Coordinates of all heavy atoms in Angstrom, one line a residue:
M1 N 34.6 46.6 -51.7 CA 35.7 45.9 -52.3 C 36.6 46.8 -53.1 O 36.1 47.6 -53.9 CB 35.2 44.8 -53.2 CG 36.2 43.8 -53.8 SD 37.1 42.7 -52.7 CE 35.9 42.1 -51.5
A2 N 37.9 46.8 -52.8 CA 38.9 47.7 -53.5 C 39.6 47.0 -54.6 O 39.8 45.8 -54.6 CB 39.9 48.2 -52.5
R3 N 40.0 47.7 -55.6 CA 40.8 47.2 -56.7 C 42.2 46.9 -56.2 O 42.7 47.8 -55.5 CB 40.8 48.2 -57.9 CG 41.5 47.8 -59.1 CD 41.4 48.8 -60.2 NE 42.3 48.4 -61.3 CZ 42.2 49.0 -62.5 NH1 41.4 50.0 -62.7 NH2 43.0 48.6 -63.4
L4 N 42.7 45.8 -56.6 CA 44.1 45.5 -56.2 C 45.1 46.4 -56.9 O 44.9 46.7 -58.1 CB 44.4 44.0 -56.6 CG 43.6 42.9 -55.9 CD1 44.0 41.6 -56.4 CD2 43.7 43.0 -54.4
D5 N 46.1 46.8 -56.2 CA 47.2 47.6 -56.8 C 48.1 46.7 -57.6 O 48.0 45.5 -57.5 CB 47.9 48.5 -55.8 CG 48.7 47.7 -54.7 OD1 49.0 46.5 -55.0 OD2 48.9 48.3 -53.7
T6 N 49.1 47.3 -58.3 CA 49.9 46.5 -59.2 C 50.7 45.4 -58.4 O 50.8 44.3 -58.9 CB 50.9 47.4 -59.9 OG1 50.2 48.4 -60.7 CG2 51.8 46.6 -60.9
A7 N 51.2 45.8 -57.2 CA 52.0 44.8 -56.4 C 51.1 43.6 -56.0 O 51.5 42.5 -56.1 CB 52.6 45.5 -55.2
A8 N 49.9 43.9 -55.6 CA 48.9 42.9 -55.2 C 48.5 42.0 -56.4 O 48.4 40.8 -56.2 CB 47.7 43.5 -54.5
V9 N 48.4 42.6 -57.5 CA 48.1 41.8 -58.7 C 49.2 40.9 -59.1 O 49.0 39.7 -59.3 CB 47.7 42.7 -59.9 CG1 47.7 41.9 -61.2 CG2 46.4 43.4 -59.7
N10 N 50.4 41.4 -59.0 CA 51.6 40.5 -59.3 C 51.7 39.4 -58.3 O 52.0 38.3 -58.7 CB 52.9 41.4 -59.3 CG 52.9 42.3 -60.5 OD1 52.3 42.1 -61.5 ND2 53.6 43.4 -60.3
T11 N 51.4 39.7 -57.0 CA 51.5 38.6 -56.0 C 50.4 37.6 -56.3 O 50.7 36.3 -56.2 CB 51.3 39.2 -54.6 OG1 52.3 40.1 -54.3 CG2 51.2 38.1 -53.5
L12 N 49.2 38.0 -56.6 CA 48.1 37.1 -56.9 C 48.4 36.2 -58.1 O 48.3 35.0 -58.0 CB 46.8 37.9 -57.2 CG 45.6 37.1 -57.7 CD1 45.1 36.1 -56.5 CD2 44.5 38.0 -58.1
V13 N 48.9 36.8 -59.2 CA 49.3 36.0 -60.4 C 50.4 35.0 -60.0 O 50.4 33.8 -60.5 CB 49.6 36.9 -61.5 CG1 50.1 36.1 -62.7 CG2 48.4 37.7 -62.0
A14 N 51.3 35.4 -59.2 CA 52.4 34.5 -58.8 C 51.9 33.3 -58.0 O 52.4 32.2 -58.1 CB 53.5 35.2 -58.0
E15 N 50.8 33.5 -57.2 CA 50.2 32.4 -56.4 C 49.4 31.5 -57.2 O 49.1 30.4 -56.8 CB 49.4 33.0 -55.3 CG 50.1 33.8 -54.3 CD 49.1 34.5 -53.3 OE1 47.9 34.4 -53.5 OE2 49.6 35.1 -52.3
L16 N 48.9 31.9 -58.4 CA 48.0 31.2 -59.2 C 48.7 30.6 -60.5 O 48.6 31.3 -61.5 CB 46.8 32.0 -59.6 CG 46.0 32.6 -58.4 CD1 45.0 33.6 -58.9 CD2 45.3 31.4 -57.7
A17 N 49.3 29.5 -60.4 CA 50.1 29.0 -61.5 C 49.3 28.7 -62.7 O 49.8 28.7 -63.8 CB 50.9 27.8 -61.1
S18 N 48.0 28.4 -62.5 CA 47.2 28.0 -63.7 C 46.4 29.2 -64.3 O 45.6 29.0 -65.2 CB 46.2 26.9 -63.2 OG 45.4 27.4 -62.2
W19 N 46.7 30.4 -63.8 CA 46.1 31.6 -64.3 C 47.1 32.5 -64.9 O 48.3 32.6 -64.4 CB 45.3 32.3 -63.2 CG 44.2 31.5 -62.7 CD1 44.2 30.5 -61.8 CD2 42.8 31.6 -63.1 NE1 43.0 30.0 -61.6 CE2 42.1 30.7 -62.3 CE3 42.1 32.5 -63.9 CZ2 40.7 30.5 -62.4 CZ3 40.7 32.3 -64.0 CH2 40.0 31.4 -63.3
K20 N 46.7 33.3 -65.9 CA 47.6 34.4 -66.4 C 46.9 35.7 -66.4 O 45.7 35.8 -66.6 CB 48.2 34.0 -67.8 CG 47.1 33.8 -68.9 CD 47.7 33.4 -70.2 CE 46.6 33.1 -71.2 NZ 47.2 32.6 -72.4
L21 N 47.7 36.7 -66.3 CA 47.1 38.1 -66.4 C 46.8 38.5 -67.8 O 47.6 38.2 -68.7 CB 48.2 39.1 -65.8 CG 47.7 40.5 -65.6 CD1 46.6 40.6 -64.6 CD2 48.9 41.3 -65.1
A22 N 45.6 39.0 -68.0 CA 45.2 39.4 -69.4 C 46.1 40.6 -69.8 O 46.6 41.3 -68.9 CB 43.7 39.8 -69.4
E23 N 46.1 40.8 -71.1 CA 46.9 41.9 -71.6 C 46.6 43.3 -71.0 O 47.5 44.1 -70.8 CB 46.8 42.0 -73.1 CG 47.5 40.8 -73.8 CD 47.5 40.9 -75.3 OE1 47.4 42.1 -75.8 OE2 47.5 39.9 -76.0
D24 N 45.3 43.5 -70.7 CA 44.9 44.8 -70.2 C 45.2 45.0 -68.7 O 45.0 46.0 -68.1 CB 43.5 45.1 -70.5 CG 42.5 44.1 -69.8 OD1 43.0 43.3 -69.0 OD2 41.3 44.2 -70.0
G25 N 45.6 43.9 -68.0 CA 46.0 43.9 -66.6 C 44.8 44.0 -65.7 O 44.9 44.1 -64.5
K26 N 43.6 43.9 -66.3 CA 42.3 44.0 -65.5 C 41.6 42.7 -65.2 O 40.6 42.7 -64.5 CB 41.4 45.0 -66.2 CG 41.9 46.4 -66.3 CD 40.9 47.3 -66.9 CE 41.5 48.7 -67.0 NZ 40.5 49.6 -67.6
S27 N 42.2 41.6 -65.7 CA 41.5 40.3 -65.4 C 42.6 39.2 -65.5 O 43.7 39.4 -66.0 CB 40.4 40.1 -66.5 OG 41.0 40.0 -67.8
I28 N 42.2 38.0 -65.0 CA 43.0 36.8 -65.1 C 42.2 35.8 -65.8 O 41.0 35.8 -65.8 CB 43.4 36.3 -63.7 CG1 42.2 36.1 -62.8 CG2 44.5 37.2 -63.1 CD1 42.6 35.5 -61.4
E29 N 42.9 34.9 -66.5 CA 42.2 33.9 -67.3 C 42.9 32.6 -67.3 O 44.1 32.5 -67.0 CB 42.1 34.4 -68.8 CG 43.4 34.9 -69.3 CD 43.3 35.7 -70.6 OE1 42.3 36.4 -70.8 OE2 44.2 35.6 -71.4
T30 N 42.1 31.6 -67.6 CA 42.6 30.2 -67.7 C 41.8 29.4 -68.7 O 40.7 29.8 -69.0 CB 42.6 29.5 -66.3 OG1 43.4 28.3 -66.4 CG2 41.2 29.2 -65.8
A31 N 42.3 28.3 -69.2 CA 41.6 27.5 -70.1 C 41.9 26.0 -69.7 O 43.0 25.6 -69.5 CB 42.0 27.7 -71.5
L32 N 40.8 25.2 -69.6 CA 40.9 23.9 -69.1 C 40.3 22.9 -70.0 O 39.4 23.2 -70.7 CB 40.2 23.8 -67.7 CG 40.7 24.7 -66.6 CD1 39.7 24.8 -65.5 CD2 42.1 24.3 -66.1
K33 N 40.8 21.7 -70.0 CA 40.3 20.6 -70.8 C 39.9 19.5 -69.9 O 40.6 19.1 -68.9 CB 41.4 20.1 -71.8 CG 40.9 19.0 -72.7 CD 42.0 18.6 -73.7 CE 41.6 17.5 -74.6 NZ 42.6 17.1 -75.6
F34 N 38.7 18.9 -70.2 CA 38.2 17.8 -69.4 C 38.0 16.5 -70.3 O 38.2 16.5 -71.5 CB 36.8 18.2 -68.9 CG 36.9 19.3 -68.0 CD1 36.9 20.7 -68.4 CD2 37.0 19.1 -66.6 CE1 37.1 21.7 -67.6 CE2 37.1 20.2 -65.7 CZ 37.2 21.5 -66.2
R35 N 37.7 15.4 -69.6 CA 37.6 14.1 -70.3 C 36.6 14.1 -71.4 O 36.8 13.6 -72.5 CB 37.3 13.1 -69.2 CG 37.4 11.6 -69.7 CD 37.1 10.7 -68.5 NE 35.9 10.9 -67.8 CZ 35.7 11.4 -66.6 NH1 36.7 11.8 -65.9 NH2 34.5 11.5 -66.1
N36 N 35.5 14.8 -71.2 CA 34.4 14.8 -72.1 C 33.4 16.0 -71.8 O 33.6 16.7 -70.8 CB 33.7 13.5 -72.2 CG 33.2 13.0 -70.8 OD1 32.9 13.8 -69.9 ND2 33.2 11.7 -70.6
F37 N 32.4 16.1 -72.6 CA 31.4 17.2 -72.3 C 30.7 17.1 -71.0 O 30.6 18.1 -70.3 CB 30.4 17.2 -73.5 CG 29.3 18.3 -73.3 CD1 29.7 19.6 -73.6 CD2 28.0 18.0 -73.0 CE1 28.7 20.6 -73.4 CE2 27.1 19.0 -72.9 CZ 27.4 20.3 -73.1
P38 N 30.2 16.0 -70.6 CA 29.6 15.9 -69.2 C 30.6 16.3 -68.1 O 30.1 17.0 -67.2 CB 29.2 14.4 -69.1 CG 29.0 14.0 -70.5 CD 30.1 14.7 -71.3
S39 N 31.8 15.9 -68.2 CA 32.8 16.3 -67.2 C 33.0 17.8 -67.2 O 33.0 18.5 -66.1 CB 34.2 15.7 -67.5 OG 34.1 14.3 -67.4
A40 N 33.0 18.5 -68.3 CA 33.2 19.9 -68.4 C 31.9 20.6 -67.8 O 32.0 21.6 -67.0 CB 33.4 20.4 -69.8
M41 N 30.7 20.1 -68.1 CA 29.5 20.7 -67.6 C 29.4 20.5 -66.1 O 28.9 21.4 -65.4 CB 28.3 20.1 -68.4 CG 28.2 20.6 -69.8 SD 28.2 22.4 -70.0 CE 26.8 22.8 -69.1
G42 N 29.8 19.3 -65.6 CA 29.8 19.1 -64.2 C 30.7 20.0 -63.4 O 30.3 20.6 -62.4
F43 N 31.8 20.3 -64.0 CA 32.8 21.3 -63.4 C 32.1 22.6 -63.4 O 32.1 23.3 -62.4 CB 34.0 21.3 -64.3 CG 34.9 22.5 -64.0 CD1 35.8 22.5 -62.9 CD2 35.0 23.5 -64.9 CE1 36.6 23.6 -62.7 CE2 35.8 24.6 -64.7 CZ 36.6 24.6 -63.6
M44 N 31.5 23.0 -64.5 CA 30.9 24.4 -64.6 C 29.7 24.5 -63.5 O 29.6 25.5 -62.9 CB 30.4 24.6 -66.0 CG 31.5 24.8 -67.0 SD 31.0 25.1 -68.7 CE 30.4 26.8 -68.6
M45 N 29.0 23.4 -63.3 CA 27.9 23.5 -62.3 C 28.5 23.6 -60.9 O 27.9 24.4 -60.1 CB 27.0 22.2 -62.4 CG 26.2 22.2 -63.7 SD 25.1 23.7 -63.9 CE 24.2 23.7 -62.4
Q46 N 29.6 23.0 -60.6 CA 30.2 23.1 -59.3 C 30.7 24.5 -59.1 O 30.5 25.1 -58.0 CB 31.4 22.1 -59.2 CG 30.9 20.7 -59.0 CD 32.1 19.8 -58.8 OE1 32.8 20.0 -57.8 NE2 32.3 18.9 -59.7
I47 N 31.3 25.1 -60.2 CA 31.7 26.5 -60.1 C 30.6 27.5 -60.0 O 30.6 28.4 -59.2 CB 32.6 26.9 -61.3 CG1 33.8 26.0 -61.5 CG2 33.0 28.4 -61.3 CD1 34.7 25.9 -60.3
A48 N 29.5 27.2 -60.7 CA 28.3 28.0 -60.6 C 27.8 28.1 -59.1 O 27.4 29.2 -58.6 CB 27.2 27.5 -61.5
I49 N 27.8 27.0 -58.4 CA 27.3 26.9 -57.0 C 28.3 27.7 -56.2 O 27.8 28.5 -55.3 CB 27.1 25.5 -56.6 CG1 26.0 24.8 -57.3 CG2 26.9 25.4 -55.1 CD1 25.9 23.3 -57.2
A50 N 29.6 27.5 -56.3 CA 30.6 28.2 -55.5 C 30.5 29.7 -55.8 O 30.6 30.5 -54.9 CB 32.0 27.6 -55.8
A51 N 30.4 30.1 -57.1 CA 30.4 31.5 -57.4 C 29.1 32.2 -56.8 O 29.2 33.3 -56.3 CB 30.3 31.6 -58.9
E52 N 28.0 31.5 -56.8 CA 26.8 32.1 -56.2 C 27.0 32.3 -54.7 O 26.6 33.4 -54.2 CB 25.6 31.2 -56.5 CG 24.3 31.8 -56.2 CD 23.9 33.0 -57.0 OE1 24.5 33.2 -58.1 OE2 23.0 33.7 -56.5
K53 N 27.6 31.3 -54.0 CA 27.9 31.5 -52.6 C 28.9 32.7 -52.3 O 28.7 33.4 -51.3 CB 28.5 30.2 -52.0 CG 27.5 29.1 -51.9 CD 28.1 27.8 -51.4 CE 27.1 26.7 -51.3 NZ 27.7 25.4 -50.9
Q54 N 29.8 32.8 -53.2 CA 30.8 33.9 -53.1 C 30.3 35.2 -53.6 O 31.0 36.3 -53.4 CB 32.1 33.5 -53.8 CG 32.8 32.4 -53.1 CD 34.1 32.0 -53.8 OE1 34.7 32.8 -54.6 NE2 34.6 30.8 -53.6
K55 N 29.2 35.2 -54.2 CA 28.6 36.4 -54.9 C 29.5 37.1 -55.8 O 29.7 38.3 -55.9 CB 28.1 37.4 -53.8 CG 27.0 36.9 -52.9 CD 26.5 37.9 -51.9 CE 25.6 37.4 -50.9 NZ 24.5 36.6 -51.1
H56 N 30.2 36.2 -56.6 CA 31.1 36.7 -57.6 C 31.1 35.7 -58.8 O 31.2 34.5 -58.5 CB 32.5 36.8 -57.0 CG 33.5 37.5 -57.9 ND1 33.3 38.8 -58.4 CD2 34.7 37.1 -58.4 CE1 34.3 39.1 -59.1 NE2 35.2 38.1 -59.2
H57 N 30.9 36.1 -60.0 CA 30.6 35.2 -61.1 C 31.6 35.4 -62.2 O 32.0 36.5 -62.6 CB 29.2 35.5 -61.6 CG 28.1 35.4 -60.5 ND1 27.7 36.5 -59.8 CD2 27.5 34.3 -60.0 CE1 26.9 36.1 -58.8 NE2 26.7 34.8 -58.9
P58 N 32.0 34.2 -62.8 CA 33.0 34.3 -63.9 C 32.4 34.6 -65.2 O 31.2 34.5 -65.4 CB 33.5 32.8 -63.9 CG 32.3 32.0 -63.5 CD 31.6 32.9 -62.4
E59 N 33.2 35.0 -66.1 CA 32.9 35.1 -67.5 C 33.5 33.8 -68.1 O 34.7 33.5 -67.8 CB 33.6 36.3 -68.2 CG 33.1 37.7 -67.6 CD 33.9 38.8 -68.2 OE1 34.6 38.7 -69.2 OE2 33.9 39.9 -67.6
W60 N 32.7 33.1 -68.8 CA 33.3 31.8 -69.3 C 32.6 31.4 -70.6 O 31.6 31.9 -71.0 CB 33.2 30.7 -68.2 CG 31.9 30.4 -67.6 CD1 30.6 30.8 -68.1 CD2 31.6 29.6 -66.5 NE1 29.6 30.3 -67.3 CE2 30.2 29.6 -66.3 CE3 32.4 28.9 -65.6 CZ2 29.6 28.9 -65.2 CZ3 31.8 28.2 -64.6 CH2 30.5 28.2 -64.4
S61 N 33.3 30.4 -71.2 CA 32.7 29.8 -72.4 C 33.1 28.3 -72.4 O 34.1 27.9 -71.8 CB 33.3 30.5 -73.7 OG 34.7 30.3 -73.8
N62 N 32.3 27.6 -73.1 CA 32.5 26.1 -73.1 C 32.3 25.6 -74.5 O 31.3 26.0 -75.2 CB 31.4 25.4 -72.2 CG 31.3 24.0 -72.5 OD1 30.2 23.6 -73.0 ND2 32.3 23.2 -72.2
V63 N 33.2 24.8 -75.0 CA 33.1 24.1 -76.3 C 33.5 22.7 -76.0 O 34.7 22.4 -75.7 CB 34.0 24.8 -77.4 CG1 33.9 23.9 -78.7 CG2 33.7 26.2 -77.6
Y64 N 32.5 21.8 -76.1 CA 32.7 20.4 -75.9 C 33.4 20.1 -74.5 O 32.8 20.3 -73.5 CB 33.3 19.7 -77.0 CG 33.4 18.2 -76.8 CD1 32.3 17.4 -76.6 CD2 34.6 17.5 -76.7 CE1 32.3 16.1 -76.3 CE2 34.7 16.1 -76.5 CZ 33.5 15.4 -76.3 OH 33.6 14.1 -76.0
N65 N 34.7 19.8 -74.5 CA 35.3 19.4 -73.3 C 36.3 20.5 -72.8 O 37.2 20.2 -72.0 CB 36.1 18.1 -73.5 CG 37.2 18.2 -74.4 OD1 37.3 19.1 -75.3 ND2 38.2 17.2 -74.4
Q66 N 36.1 21.7 -73.3 CA 37.0 22.8 -72.9 C 36.2 23.9 -72.3 O 35.1 24.2 -72.7 CB 37.8 23.3 -74.1 CG 38.7 22.3 -74.8 CD 39.4 22.8 -76.0 OE1 39.5 24.0 -76.2 NE2 40.0 21.9 -76.7
V67 N 36.8 24.5 -71.3 CA 36.2 25.6 -70.6 C 37.2 26.7 -70.4 O 38.3 26.5 -69.9 CB 35.7 25.2 -69.2 CG1 35.1 26.4 -68.4 CG2 34.7 24.1 -69.3
K68 N 36.9 27.9 -70.9 CA 37.7 29.1 -70.8 C 37.1 30.0 -69.8 O 35.9 30.3 -69.8 CB 37.9 29.8 -72.1 CG 38.7 29.0 -73.1 CD 38.9 29.7 -74.4 CE 39.6 28.7 -75.4 NZ 39.8 29.3 -76.7
I69 N 37.9 30.6 -68.8 CA 37.3 31.4 -67.7 C 38.1 32.7 -67.6 O 39.4 32.7 -67.7 CB 37.4 30.6 -66.4 CG1 36.7 29.2 -66.5 CG2 36.8 31.4 -65.3 CD1 37.0 28.3 -65.3
V70 N 37.4 33.8 -67.4 CA 38.0 35.1 -67.2 C 37.4 35.6 -65.9 O 36.2 35.5 -65.7 CB 37.7 36.1 -68.3 CG1 38.2 37.4 -68.0 CG2 38.3 35.6 -69.6
L71 N 38.3 36.1 -65.0 CA 37.8 36.7 -63.7 C 38.2 38.1 -63.7 O 39.4 38.5 -63.9 CB 38.4 35.9 -62.5 CG 38.0 34.5 -62.4 CD1 38.7 33.9 -61.2 CD2 36.5 34.3 -62.3
T72 N 37.3 39.0 -63.3 CA 37.5 40.4 -63.1 C 36.4 40.9 -62.2 O 35.3 40.2 -62.1 CB 37.6 41.2 -64.4 OG1 38.0 42.5 -64.1 CG2 36.2 41.3 -65.1
T73 N 36.6 42.0 -61.5 CA 35.5 42.6 -60.7 C 35.1 43.9 -61.4 O 35.8 44.9 -61.3 CB 36.1 42.9 -59.3 OG1 36.6 41.7 -58.7 CG2 35.0 43.4 -58.4
H74 N 34.0 43.8 -62.1 CA 33.5 44.9 -62.8 C 33.2 46.2 -62.0 O 33.5 47.3 -62.4 CB 32.2 44.6 -63.6 CG 32.5 43.5 -64.6 ND1 33.1 43.7 -65.8 CD2 32.2 42.2 -64.6 CE1 33.2 42.6 -66.5 NE2 32.6 41.6 -65.8
D75 N 32.8 46.0 -60.7 CA 32.5 47.1 -59.9 C 33.7 48.0 -59.6 O 33.5 49.2 -59.3 CB 31.9 46.6 -58.5 CG 30.6 46.0 -58.7 OD1 29.9 46.1 -59.7 OD2 30.1 45.3 -57.7
V76 N 34.9 47.4 -59.6 CA 36.1 48.2 -59.3 C 37.0 48.4 -60.6 O 38.0 49.0 -60.5 CB 37.0 47.5 -58.2 CG1 36.2 47.4 -56.9 CG2 37.5 46.2 -58.6
G77 N 36.5 47.9 -61.7 CA 37.3 48.1 -63.0 C 38.6 47.4 -63.0 O 39.5 47.8 -63.7
G78 N 38.7 46.2 -62.4 CA 39.9 45.4 -62.4 C 39.8 44.2 -61.5 O 38.7 43.7 -61.2
L79 N 40.9 43.8 -61.0 CA 41.0 42.7 -60.1 C 40.8 43.1 -58.6 O 41.3 44.1 -58.2 CB 42.3 42.0 -60.2 CG 42.5 41.3 -61.6 CD1 44.0 41.0 -61.8 CD2 41.7 40.0 -61.7
S80 N 40.1 42.2 -57.9 CA 39.9 42.4 -56.4 C 40.2 41.1 -55.7 O 40.5 40.1 -56.4 CB 38.5 42.9 -56.2 OG 37.6 41.8 -56.3
E81 N 40.1 41.1 -54.4 CA 40.3 39.9 -53.6 C 39.3 38.8 -54.0 O 39.6 37.6 -53.9 CB 40.1 40.2 -52.1 CG 41.3 41.0 -51.6 CD 41.1 41.4 -50.1 OE1 40.2 40.8 -49.5 OE2 41.9 42.2 -49.6
K82 N 38.1 39.2 -54.5 CA 37.1 38.3 -54.9 C 37.6 37.4 -56.0 O 37.3 36.2 -56.1 CB 35.8 39.0 -55.4 CG 35.0 39.6 -54.3 CD 33.7 40.2 -54.9 CE 32.8 40.6 -53.8 NZ 31.5 41.0 -54.4
D83 N 38.4 38.0 -56.9 CA 38.9 37.2 -58.1 C 39.9 36.1 -57.6 O 39.9 35.0 -58.1 CB 39.6 38.1 -59.1 CG 38.6 39.1 -59.6 OD1 37.5 38.7 -60.2 OD2 38.8 40.3 -59.5
G84 N 40.8 36.5 -56.7 CA 41.7 35.5 -56.1 C 41.0 34.4 -55.4 O 41.4 33.2 -55.6
L85 N 40.0 34.7 -54.6 CA 39.3 33.7 -53.9 C 38.6 32.7 -54.8 O 38.6 31.5 -54.7 CB 38.2 34.3 -52.9 CG 37.4 33.4 -52.1 CD1 38.2 32.5 -51.2 CD2 36.4 34.2 -51.3
L86 N 37.9 33.3 -55.9 CA 37.2 32.4 -56.8 C 38.2 31.6 -57.6 O 38.0 30.4 -57.9 CB 36.2 33.2 -57.7 CG 35.3 32.4 -58.6 CD1 34.5 31.3 -57.9 CD2 34.4 33.3 -59.4
A87 N 39.3 32.2 -58.0 CA 40.3 31.5 -58.8 C 40.8 30.3 -58.0 O 41.0 29.2 -58.6 CB 41.5 32.4 -59.2
K88 N 41.1 30.5 -56.7 CA 41.6 29.3 -55.9 C 40.5 28.3 -55.8 O 40.8 27.1 -55.8 CB 42.0 29.9 -54.5 CG 43.3 30.7 -54.6 CD 43.6 31.4 -53.3 CE 44.8 32.3 -53.5 NZ 45.2 33.1 -52.3
T89 N 39.3 28.6 -55.7 CA 38.2 27.7 -55.6 C 38.1 26.9 -56.9 O 38.0 25.7 -56.9 CB 36.8 28.4 -55.3 OG1 36.9 29.1 -54.1 CG2 35.7 27.4 -55.3
I90 N 38.2 27.6 -58.0 CA 38.2 27.0 -59.4 C 39.3 26.0 -59.5 O 39.1 24.9 -60.0 CB 38.2 28.0 -60.5 CG1 36.8 28.8 -60.5 CG2 38.5 27.4 -61.8 CD1 36.8 30.0 -61.4
D91 N 40.5 26.4 -59.1 CA 41.7 25.5 -59.2 C 41.5 24.2 -58.4 O 41.8 23.1 -58.8 CB 42.9 26.2 -58.7 CG 43.5 27.2 -59.7 OD1 43.0 27.2 -60.8 OD2 44.4 28.0 -59.3
K92 N 40.9 24.4 -57.2 CA 40.6 23.2 -56.3 C 39.7 22.2 -57.0 O 39.9 21.0 -57.1 CB 40.1 23.6 -55.0 CG 39.9 22.5 -54.0 CD 39.4 23.0 -52.7 CE 39.2 22.0 -51.6 NZ 37.9 21.4 -51.6
I93 N 38.6 22.8 -57.5 CA 37.6 21.9 -58.2 C 38.2 21.3 -59.5 O 37.9 20.2 -59.8 CB 36.3 22.7 -58.5 CG1 35.6 23.1 -57.1 CG2 35.3 21.9 -59.3 CD1 34.5 24.0 -57.2
A94 N 39.0 22.1 -60.2 CA 39.6 21.6 -61.5 C 40.5 20.4 -61.2 O 40.5 19.4 -61.9 CB 40.4 22.7 -62.1
Q95 N 41.2 20.5 -60.1 CA 42.1 19.4 -59.7 C 41.3 18.2 -59.3 O 41.6 17.1 -59.7 CB 43.0 19.8 -58.5 CG 44.0 18.8 -58.1 CD 44.9 19.2 -57.0 OE1 44.6 20.2 -56.3 NE2 45.9 18.5 -56.7
E96 N 40.2 18.4 -58.6 CA 39.4 17.3 -58.1 C 38.7 16.6 -59.3 O 38.4 15.4 -59.2 CB 38.3 17.8 -57.1 CG 38.9 18.2 -55.8 CD 37.9 18.9 -54.9 OE1 36.7 19.2 -55.4 OE2 38.2 19.2 -53.8
T97 N 38.4 17.3 -60.4 CA 37.7 16.8 -61.5 C 38.7 16.3 -62.6 O 38.2 15.8 -63.7 CB 36.7 17.8 -62.1 OG1 37.4 19.0 -62.4 CG2 35.6 18.1 -61.1
G98 N 40.0 16.4 -62.4 CA 40.9 15.9 -63.4 C 41.1 16.7 -64.6 O 41.6 16.3 -65.7
A99 N 40.9 18.0 -64.5 CA 41.1 18.9 -65.6 C 42.6 19.1 -65.9 O 43.4 19.0 -65.0 CB 40.5 20.3 -65.3
T100 N 42.9 19.4 -67.1 CA 44.3 19.7 -67.5 C 44.3 21.1 -68.1 O 43.3 21.5 -68.7 CB 44.9 18.7 -68.5 OG1 44.0 18.7 -69.7 CG2 45.0 17.3 -67.9
L101 N 45.4 21.8 -68.0 CA 45.5 23.2 -68.5 C 45.7 23.1 -70.0 O 46.4 22.3 -70.5 CB 46.7 23.9 -67.9 CG 46.5 24.6 -66.6 CD1 47.8 25.1 -66.0 CD2 45.5 25.7 -66.6
L102 N 45.0 24.0 -70.7 CA 45.3 24.2 -72.1 C 46.3 25.3 -72.3 O 46.4 26.2 -71.5 CB 44.0 24.6 -72.8 CG 42.9 23.5 -73.0 CD1 41.6 24.1 -73.4 CD2 43.4 22.5 -73.9
P103 N 47.1 25.3 -73.4 CA 48.1 26.3 -73.6 C 47.5 27.7 -73.8 O 46.4 27.8 -74.2 CB 48.9 25.9 -74.8 CG 48.1 24.7 -75.4 CD 47.1 24.3 -74.4

């Protein structure tokens, strides 16, 4: 897996409206709000299953009904195609579970 170049990173971020590029340019991040704690945990379990299948795992945190997610590919020291694929999977599941974006 290769690290995405600057043009590919910019294209990826443009495709992912719910994600933003981190200040260091090596990761993308999003923050989501759910109806309640069980909804947030259910979302995280769905992502855990998808991430395991994709062999790519998020950095995340959860406080009650909020989930913050950071994606990067440590092996390449930045973003790779794996991050885009997992971000799109996360977006699909977030939409299905009724998540809303946090500022």
Side-chain angles (χ1 to χ4, degrees):
M1 183 66 43
R3 182 175 174 171
L4 297 178
D5 62 23
T6 302
V9 168
N10 291 336
T11 299
L12 175 64
V13 173
E15 291 174 357
L16 299 170
S18 59
W19 295 80
K20 61 183 174 183
L21 187 62
E23 287 184 29
D24 64 5
K26 295 181 179 182
S27 62
I28 53 176
E29 52 194 29
T30 191
L32 302 165
K33 182 177 181 180
F34 296 85
R35 189 174 59 252
N36 52 32
F37 180 72
S39 297
M41 291 306 298
F43 165 79
M44 292 178 75
M45 288 306 301
Q46 289 183 60
I47 300 308
I49 293 166
E52 191 65 18
K53 288 179 183 176
Q54 293 179 21
K55 298 186 189 310
H56 191 56
H57 304 93
E59 297 175 18
W60 57 12
S61 63
N62 163 249
V63 176
Y64 183 60
N65 66 340
Q66 298 179 14
V67 177
K68 294 180 182 178
I69 306 169
V70 176
L71 297 178
T72 191
T73 303
H74 296 285
D75 293 345
V76 300
L79 292 164
S80 74
E81 290 179 9
K82 286 184 172 187
D83 300 301
L85 178 61
L86 186 54
K88 289 173 185 175
T89 301
I90 290 169
D91 284 349
K92 182 177 184 272
I93 295 170
Q95 182 179 14
E96 291 169 356
T97 57
T100 57
L101 277 174
L102 289 169

